[in-house]
């Protein structure tokens, strides 16, 4: 209970700073879409990929070209991009009142079964920034391929204060 109270009194921007996390530049679209769109009190993010400077940080499938730890780093990288996109649209992550939904799509070789462990890298980052009581519902899906050959794509929905 004390952890929840501590999170209630400190904003997401302060927690980022306390954890020494620097957000990357905001990802730019690879096609005809926007990275983030707010409607009402919900902020929807386009599929967040593990990119650095508009280039894939990882290419390949888990269980073939990449292992679970590379997958976790890819999920973490994509989650940082999601936070950067949210901050750009909202002006501050302190406006986020909860993470509503997290979809984690993982390109696998077909015999890779550690998807929850990989997805936890994104979930854990959101928990560390917004608090355990703000964890989202989550779906984790293994797929044959993802855009541009990347191993991870995140779908994120945030609830925001007006």
């Amino acid at each position: 209970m004390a952890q929840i109270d501590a999170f209630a009194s400190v904003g997401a921007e302060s927690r980022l700073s306390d954890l020494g996390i620097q957000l990357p530049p905001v990802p730019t679209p690879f096609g005809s879409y926007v990275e983030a769109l707010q409607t009402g009190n919900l902020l929807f993010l386009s599929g967040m990929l593990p990119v650095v400077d508009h280039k894939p940080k990882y290419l390949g499938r888990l269980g073939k070209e990449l292992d679970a730890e590379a997958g976790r780093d890819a999920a973490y990288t994509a989650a940082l991009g999601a936070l950067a996109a949210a901050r750009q649209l909202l002006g501050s992550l302190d406006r986020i009142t909860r993470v509503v939904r997290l979809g984690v799509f993982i390109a696998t070789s077909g015999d890779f079964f550690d998807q929850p462990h990989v997805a936890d890298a994104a979930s854990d980052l959101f928990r560390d920034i917004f608090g355990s009581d703000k964890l989202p519902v989550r779906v984790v899906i293994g797929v044959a391929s993802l855009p541009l050959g990347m191993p991870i794509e995140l779908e994120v929905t945030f609830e925001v204060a007006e």
Side-chain angles (χ1 to χ4, degrees):
M1 186 68 166
Q3 182 180 16
I4 292 171
D5 293 339
F7 275 92
S9 64
V10 178
E13 294 287 345
S14 291
R15 283 189 292 282
L16 271 177
S17 178
D18 291 347
L19 293 168
I21 297 172
Q22 295 264 356
L23 294 184
V26 177
T28 54
F30 284 97
S32 300
Y33 60 92
V34 295
E35 291 291 344
L37 176 76
Q38 183 179 351
T39 181
N41 68 337
L42 294 177
L43 176 64
F44 295 91
L45 299 182
S46 293
M48 291 287 133
L49 299 166
V51 296
V52 176
D53 296 327
H54 202 65
K55 294 179 183 80
K57 183 171 182 182
Y58 293 95
L59 292 172
R61 293 169 291 161
L62 275 63
K64 185 164 179 156
E65 296 88 3
L66 302 169
D67 64 12
E69 289 312 305
R72 286 180 57 81
D73 188 55
Y76 183 86
T77 300
L80 289 174
L83 293 172
R87 179 196 269 167
Q88 180 184 47
L89 187 94
L90 299 172
S92 171
L93 295 178
D94 291 338
R95 289 194 51 212
I96 295 174
T97 56
R98 91 165 298 118
V99 186
V100 176
R101 183 178 187 280
L102 174 61
V104 183
F105 300 87
I106 303 172
T108 70
S109 63
D111 58 353
F112 179 85
F113 303 108
D114 206 10
Q115 291 94 338
H117 175 66
V118 170
D120 279 346
S123 294
D124 292 349
L125 175 62
F126 292 152
R127 179 204 59 217
D128 293 347
I129 302 304
F130 300 108
S132 297
D133 61 326
K134 304 291 192 276
L135 280 173
V137 296
R138 182 175 88 178
V139 61
V140 180
I141 300 173
V143 299
S145 67
L146 287 168
L148 307 172
M150 288 188 241
I152 300 287
E153 185 171 10
L154 302 183
E155 179 185 13
V156 185
T157 305
F158 293 112
E159 180 183 63
V160 298
E162 293 299 325

